[in-house]
Amino acid sequence: QLQLVESGGGSVQPGGSLRLSCVASGFSVDSSTIGWFRTAPGKGREAVSCISTVDGGPYSYYAPFVEGRFTISRDNAKNTVYLQMNSLKSEDTGVYYCAAEPVLSTMCFFKNFHSWGQGAQVTVSS
């Protein structure tokens, strides 16, 4: 059974940092595509970042609004994917979800993912 458990959400001031963790069980993160998505009031679910393996090497995607500020990474030994979020802005506030699909893909669209974590609240406010 595929299971994802997120942690690391919280409240931070603008310009601050947080790191989200997604611990996976029931499958291996290095043979899957893992994504981070978020929802906010008045907005639909949007892709933040995804990580996969392409041609034997890591592949990562970042939404334009987080490029240069967020970094996705994975620790295969811990079967965990991280999202390091720096220079946070108020518009980054939302619920962040980890999602997984047990195939290798460059697609980072929420409809491609069928296993989801419970979500982690991120609040950026002064």
Side-chain angles (χ1 to χ4, degrees):
Q1 181 179 359
L2 277 66
Q3 187 174 11
L4 301 165
V5 178
E6 300 116 331
S7 62
S11 296
V12 65
Q13 292 185 340
S17 298
L18 285 172
R19 188 178 79 158
L20 301 179
S21 299
C22 175
V23 179
S25 59
F27 68 101
S28 296
V29 297
D30 61 352
S31 58
S32 305
T33 302
I34 311 295
W36 287 98
F37 299 83
R38 71 186 187 189
T39 60
K43 294 183 179 180
R45 187 166 302 189
E46 56 186 3
V48 176
S49 182
C50 290
I51 188 167
S52 186
T53 300
V54 174
D55 295 331
Y59 166 86
S60 58
Y61 162 84
Y62 296 95
F65 50 80
V66 303
E67 185 83 52
R69 300 188 297 125
F70 291 11
T71 302
I72 193 169
S73 63
R74 66 188 180 202
D75 185 329
N76 296 336
K78 296 182 178 179
N79 216 31
T80 300
V81 173
Y82 303 97
L83 184 69
Q84 177 67 43
M85 304 184 293
N86 298 330
S87 301
L88 282 161
K89 305 175 181 180
S90 58
E91 52 263 43
D92 294 319
T93 294
V95 180
Y96 284 69
Y97 297 89
C98 174
E101 192 65 13
V103 295
L104 299 176
S105 172
T106 60
M107 300 296 292
C108 194
F109 184 56
F110 73 90
K111 290 186 177 181
N112 289 39
F113 294 80
H114 297 90
S115 297
W116 292 80
Q118 80 284 2
Q121 177 69 46
V122 171
T123 302
V124 184
S125 175
S126 56

